[in-house]
Amino acid sequence: MAAQLVSMHDIHKAFGPVKVLEGVDFELVAGEIHALMGENGAGKSTLMKILTGIYAPDSGTIQVDGKPVSITTPADAEKYGIAIIHQELNLIPALSIADNLFLGREIQRFGLLDRKAMTKKAMEWLAQVGMEKLDPDTRVERLSVGTQQMVEIARALGQNARVLIMDEPTAALTEHETTTLFKLIRALREKGTGIVYVSHRMEEIFALCDRISILRDGKFVGTRPVPGLAFDEVVKMMVGRTLEARFPVRSSTPGKVRLQVEHISGGMVKDVSFDLRSGEVLGVAGLLGAGRTELARLLFGLDKPSEGRVLLDGDVVTATNPNQAIHAGFGFLTEDRKAQGLVLDLSLRENISLPRVPAHVGLVDRGGEKTQTRGLIDALKIRTRDMELNVSALSGGNQQKVVLAKWLALKPRVLILDEPTRGVDVGGKAEIYHIINQLAEQGVAILMISSELPEVLAMSDRILVMHEGHATALLDAHGATQETVMTAATGGH
Amino acid sequence: MTLQLNWSQAKTLFQRLGSVIGLLLLFIVLSVLSPDFLTTGNLLTVLRQVSINALIAFGMTFVILSGGIDLSVGAILAFTGAITAGLMAAGHGMVLSVGAGLALGAVLGMVNGALVSWGRVAPFIATLGTVTLLRGLTLSYTQGSPIPVTNPGFAMLGGGYIANLIPLPVIWMAVAFILCGFLLRGTVFGRHVVAIGGNEEAARLSGVRISPMKLAIYGLSGLLSAFAGVVLTSRLYSAQATAGAGYELDAIAAVVLGGTSLAGGRGWLFGTLIGALLIGFLNNGLNLLGVSSFYQQVVKGIVILIAVLLDRRQ
């Protein structure tokens, strides 16, 4: 048995009347990759925020190296070698790598910044994460998300972190970056670092982790070693029941052509053509930066196409802003629901009716709005006590359903979904897939951009694969495999 | 039916009631300290004094809720007041002159809105620019001397009373409060104002047309400032080039004291009314107590800072 690094015991935490954690245990040993799983709202983030000193627990004990400690500030956590790599990266874009690495702990000589020493040290730290080729003077905004993450890890290691908490680290990474990251995580494990890996991605967890701890509704369900563990068992522990199917089956077949995209170009997108039928789900696969979101932005009037045209039910559509696109019959669920999808300070009701507030000559029809909201909350099984609750109080899966509800209220003819299940837990994913199927069965034409290949393969009728702005393949989903999609996505034929 | 409040609503309510509690406390303290305070005459005088700031602050509430700021309100007040008075001095009727003044205020506000939306200039800078521009125009137009007003009907707008008791500006304030409150809570426009302040990108992607909205929001602020200018000009029987100096700060203070977030997306109009009243009664109380006007400013500044500190969100 390896040395115990961290042990949290009987942790309780409540925010006002809401109990977020009720007697949770968590244990991390040196040299292990320990997955922390649970549906959104199960308490994973709160537990990790307690371990990193952002929240104080109401009761419970924390031990580091077998000794009881009190972690009440992030500085305490740092002192005990505990570091977290957030989902939203915490680097300052306009500063250089070296500036970021030493932010708040700059090396000084006679009260002045000692740039030479910091650059030298920065290179050592970057080498620790296999990034010795990076120039520490590069500004962070010029780095890819994956590289930025490496810089964050380098910073944590530079501060002698022995416990590294990673929150959905691969959410924004390309396949290649993910591989690099996993290599690094495994190397860190060999050196005795304890890694807490918070993720919803089952495949990754089974490939990478040694043990899994599971939370459900703020309670500790159990810890299991990964070898010999069945996928279904984990899901069952997380949701408290067995899911019928990970990807529900759709019963309908696509109808007539609804959307025709002809040789459209603009920005990154180069000469892309495809048809989309009513009741069809067209998956759009590709690596990060392949131009998938940019394609959606062109269709939705956010960017201007330089060439090509779009026909909706036979009529040419020229939308130069989202308002026109919406009136033409488009809906667009964006990939970043907090920054682009929701107004967090507004209620469910107000968010859902944002694209079209039920109104008579500009005066809000409160009754109609409530009826519409209630109908959508029921139809999408959004779990909330109250439609007046701020959406910021909802879990990720429920927030995503609110964004979906917002578009469904408009009864769109074409619905563009950009990463519809990002940051959504297993149970929530299945529900969103179910909604997508229902929409398709009602005849909505769906363009589904996704970086999760199993999702694209299972949910689509056909798959459009993009690479560097071009459409490199249009595959029938039934014959396609991860390999054929990846080949096209990397530009191979 | 039972009244059920969830946690966040209860918290918001408490934060919001802070300004009301503050006003009540001030009321009690001033009533005890000065026998002249709690008289009908004094209270109505304060309400009349408050009305100018309140009118401006109502417009400012929309601007701040949408995530912006409008520093040009005082300058718009002075310029439109001068134009209105000038038109009447040139022999035009009151209705045309006031109408032209109000329309000009709305247009000037829309210019701010255009700078902010199409010009992509930060609201602080854009409206700071219009302040300088308008102050210059006002000085050139008036040649630095007051434009006297003789129209007796016009003088009623700011100086008249209803039933020989309630000053007309107080009525304007009440009407504007009701109309603006309805605009904010009861219309699609109001909903979109809050949505833009809460998350402009999400609002845009939901089909809210941001630029026309900003034109309307700043236009409304300009219109209300112009109306305040008309009332002030009427009350003073003349338009002064330097009128309204520093009014933008009082209006912003009223909005913030009322609990509206300067970051946008969170706030209410009732709070602004309370905020304006707080400032008005504080000024009045300090006057009654014989505090020198120099120290009055100090006290006002301290009260604003304390209020903002108490209201600070996590």
Side-chain angles (χ1 to χ4, degrees):
Chain A
M1 182 78 190
Q4 193 183 74
L5 267 178
V6 171
S7 161
M8 303 175 82
H9 181 60
D10 199 24
I11 303 286
H12 287 258
K13 176 74 187 174
F15 295 104
V18 185
K19 288 185 184 131
V20 182
L21 294 175
E22 297 176 75
V24 171
D25 294 338
F26 181 76
E27 192 178 83
L28 182 72
V29 299
E32 77 163 334
I33 306 173
H34 194 138
L36 184 58
M37 296 192 78
E39 296 196 86
N40 282 319
K44 299 172 307 239
S45 316
T46 309
L47 187 67
M48 289 304 110
K49 281 180 178 163
I50 286 172
L51 185 55
T52 48
I54 294 168
Y55 295 148
D58 296 336
S59 65
T61 55
I62 303 176
Q63 294 187 343
V64 174
D65 296 330
K67 286 183 231 72
V69 296
S70 147
I71 299 178
T72 52
T73 64
D76 288 341
E78 196 186 311
K79 187 174 74 187
Y80 294 116
I82 300 168
I84 185 162
I85 310 296
H86 287 281
Q87 209 172 334
E88 291 91 17
L89 297 173
N90 280 326
L91 299 173
I92 298 174
L95 292 183
S96 74
I97 296 176
D99 290 342
N100 270 289
L101 287 176
F102 293 97
L103 194 63
R105 48 186 66 73
E106 289 80 1
I107 303 175
Q108 297 178 23
R109 260 184 101 197
F110 316 118
L112 300 173
L113 292 178
D114 187 348
R115 294 203 174 270
K116 222 165 145 191
M118 284 195 280
T119 307
K120 186 159 165 277
K121 203 86 177 244
M123 287 182 356
E124 287 170 22
W125 288 9
L126 290 170
Q128 279 193 36
V129 295
M131 292 278 138
E132 55 279 336
K133 283 184 196 145
L134 278 180
D135 176 1
D137 289 330
T138 315
R139 276 195 294 179
V140 161
E141 62 197 353
R142 300 178 55 182
L143 306 176
S144 72
V145 179
T147 314
Q148 290 188 24
Q149 200 169 49
M150 291 296 181
V151 173
E152 279 233 37
I153 299 173
R155 176 162 73 179
L157 296 178
Q159 289 155 23
N160 300 315
R162 295 175 305 142
V163 175
L164 204 55
I165 303 162
M166 310 196 76
D167 187 3
E168 289 280 359
T170 59
L173 299 194
T174 63
E175 295 281 327
H176 178 71
E177 287 172 328
T178 302
T179 315
T180 315
L181 177 71
F182 284 3
K183 220 185 272 171
L184 173 65
I185 292 177
R186 291 196 177 101
L188 291 174
R189 169 173 63 186
E190 296 313 310
K191 286 188 202 155
T193 310
I195 291 145
V196 184
Y197 194 88
V198 183
S199 175
H200 291 306
R201 298 190 173 179
M202 290 279 195
E203 284 86 358
E204 286 181 358
I205 284 170
F206 274 77
L208 188 68
C209 299
D210 304 305
R211 290 198 294 171
I212 302 182
S213 285
I214 290 160
L215 302 183
R216 183 171 74 232
D217 297 332
K219 296 186 185 76
F220 178 67
V221 182
T223 300
R224 300 275 187 281
V226 169
L229 188 63
F231 192 92
D232 288 343
E233 195 187 340
V234 177
V235 174
K236 198 175 157 192
M237 287 169 81
M238 278 169 55
V239 296
R241 64 197 148 87
T242 324
L243 286 180
E244 309 92 58
R246 204 170 147 215
F247 298 107
V249 183
R250 186 164 61 246
S251 59
S252 67
T253 47
K256 64 179 176 54
V257 172
R258 171 146 280 177
L259 182 74
Q260 290 159 277
V261 175
E262 297 178 350
H263 304 288
I264 200 169
S265 297
M268 283 196 60
V269 180
K270 296 181 189 83
D271 191 24
V272 172
S273 301
F274 63 90
D275 286 349
L276 176 58
R277 294 173 175 278
S278 102
E280 181 182 34
V281 178
L282 178 66
V284 184
L287 303 176
L288 208 77
R292 297 170 301 165
T293 300
E294 289 75 7
L295 173 65
R297 289 177 62 90
L298 287 177
L299 295 175
F300 201 62
L302 282 160
D303 296 323
K304 213 176 154 198
S306 54
E307 271 170 76
R309 60 176 193 165
V310 177
L311 289 91
L312 187 57
D313 287 327
D315 300 322
V316 175
V317 184
T318 45
T320 54
N321 63 41
N323 186 278
Q324 290 170 356
I326 289 167
H327 281 283
F330 284 95
F332 181 25
L333 178 138
T334 49
E335 60 183 324
D336 188 341
R337 71 177 157 265
K338 281 186 181 158
Q340 302 175 313
L342 295 168
V343 184
L344 292 171
D345 275 340
L346 289 184
S347 65
L348 269 85
R349 172 176 58 78
E350 289 161 315
N351 269 286
I352 290 175
S353 55
L354 190 55
R356 189 179 298 156
V357 186
H360 305 297
V361 285
L363 308 184
V364 177
D365 169 11
R366 282 290 166 110
E369 189 181 21
K370 280 186 179 156
T371 314
Q372 171 184 292
T373 311
R374 202 167 296 123
L376 285 161
I377 287 177
D378 291 346
L380 302 190
K381 298 194 180 73
I382 300 174
R383 271 178 288 277
T384 176
R385 286 164 295 154
D386 186 352
M387 68 170 82
E388 301 303 326
L389 202 67
N390 280 358
V391 286
S392 55
L394 297 179
S395 69
N398 278 311
Q399 285 184 347
Q400 194 72 330
K401 286 195 218 164
V402 171
V403 183
L404 271 170
K406 184 170 110 168
W407 294 116
L408 298 198
L410 294 174
K411 303 200 168 39
R413 289 193 274 177
V414 177
L415 185 58
I416 306 166
L417 305 171
D418 195 356
E419 305 288 357
T421 62
R422 171 172 292 175
V424 173
D425 54 62
V426 186
K429 276 184 181 174
E431 288 178 3
I432 286 171
Y433 296 143
H434 193 66
I435 295 167
I436 293 175
N437 283 345
Q438 279 181 332
L439 288 171
E441 280 159 18
Q442 289 161 20
V444 180
I446 294 167
L447 192 69
M448 188 186 78
I449 300 168
S450 172
S451 298
E452 288 194 45
L453 280 179
E455 176 175 290
V456 176
L457 288 165
M459 291 300 298
S460 313
D461 295 297
R462 287 181 303 153
I463 301 167
L464 178 77
V465 190
M466 292 185 69
H467 171 66
E468 291 180 355
H470 294 277
T472 45
L474 190 56
L475 309 165
D476 185 346
H478 302 290
T481 62
Q482 300 217 10
E483 287 70 31
T484 52
V485 174
M486 277 318 293
T487 308
T490 48
H493 292 285
Chain B
M1 210 180 115
T2 53
L3 181 68
Q4 277 199 335
L5 285 175
N6 64 46
W7 180 242
S8 69
Q9 280 170 339
K11 212 170 89 184
T12 316
L13 193 69
F14 179 76
Q15 280 175 338
R16 286 178 162 189
L17 283 180
S19 54
V20 180
I21 295 167
L23 183 62
L24 287 176
L25 280 178
L26 182 67
F27 228 80
I28 294 167
V29 170
L30 290 177
S31 306
V32 172
L33 289 181
S34 167
D36 302 323
F37 177 74
L38 206 58
T39 60
T40 315
N42 184 56
L43 295 184
L44 285 172
T45 304
V46 177
L47 284 181
R48 194 194 67 217
Q49 289 164 349
V50 163
S51 59
I52 300 280
N53 184 27
L55 286 172
I56 300 172
F58 293 157
M60 187 70 81
T61 307
F62 282 82
V63 174
I64 290 180
L65 265 175
S66 78
I69 195 102
D70 186 354
L71 299 182
S72 72
V73 287
I76 290 181
L77 174 148
F79 188 53
T80 55
I83 294 289
T84 306
L87 284 173
M88 276 186 291
H92 294 285
M94 166 185 155
V95 175
L96 181 130
S97 308
V98 170
L102 295 183
L104 180 65
V107 169
L108 292 172
M110 285 195 258
V111 171
N112 283 331
L115 288 169
V116 169
S117 58
W118 289 317
R120 291 165 200 269
V121 185
F124 189 93
I125 304 297
T127 57
L128 193 63
T130 39
V131 169
T132 315
L133 179 78
L134 290 176
R135 287 283 174 205
L137 283 177
T138 314
L139 283 167
S140 334
Y141 181 74
T142 61
Q143 290 299 311
S145 45
I147 302 176
V149 179
T150 49
N151 188 324
F154 181 75
M156 286 292 291
L157 282 177
Y161 289 85
I162 280 197
N164 263 335
L165 181 68
I166 303 170
L168 265 180
V170 178
I171 304 292
W172 305 138
M173 172 170 76
V175 171
F177 175 69
I178 291 166
L179 287 179
C180 289
F182 181 71
L183 191 60
L184 188 57
R185 289 290 153 219
T187 67
V188 178
F189 172 80
R191 180 74 60 82
H192 286 173
V193 170
V194 181
I196 290 173
N199 187 342
E200 185 168 326
E201 183 68 2
R204 191 163 68 101
L205 288 164
S206 298
V208 176
R209 284 182 301 177
I210 308 294
S211 299
M213 278 296 297
K214 288 199 169 161
L215 247 63
I217 292 166
Y218 285 87
L220 178 67
S221 175
L223 175 70
L224 284 162
S225 304
F227 187 52
V230 166
V231 174
L232 187 68
T233 307
S234 157
R235 169 135 196 85
L236 299 176
Y237 296 112
S238 74
Q240 321 250 356
T242 53
Y247 280 22
E248 59 280 358
L249 297 182
D250 275 347
I252 295 167
V255 175
V256 172
L257 280 177
T260 294
S261 159
L262 269 179
R266 265 194 288 210
W268 58 337
L269 199 72
F270 182 68
T272 300
L273 179 64
I274 299 293
L277 291 174
L278 253 174
I279 296 172
F281 280 112
L282 191 65
N283 280 336
N284 175 249
L286 294 171
N287 272 330
L288 288 178
L289 297 177
V291 178
S292 99
S293 63
F294 300 154
Y295 282 112
Q296 285 190 21
Q297 285 202 27
V298 175
V299 174
K300 211 161 93 181
I302 290 172
V303 166
I304 290 172
L305 291 176
I306 289 175
V308 176
L309 281 173
L310 287 178
D311 192 50
R312 188 182 43 169
R313 293 182 166 87
Q314 292 170 349

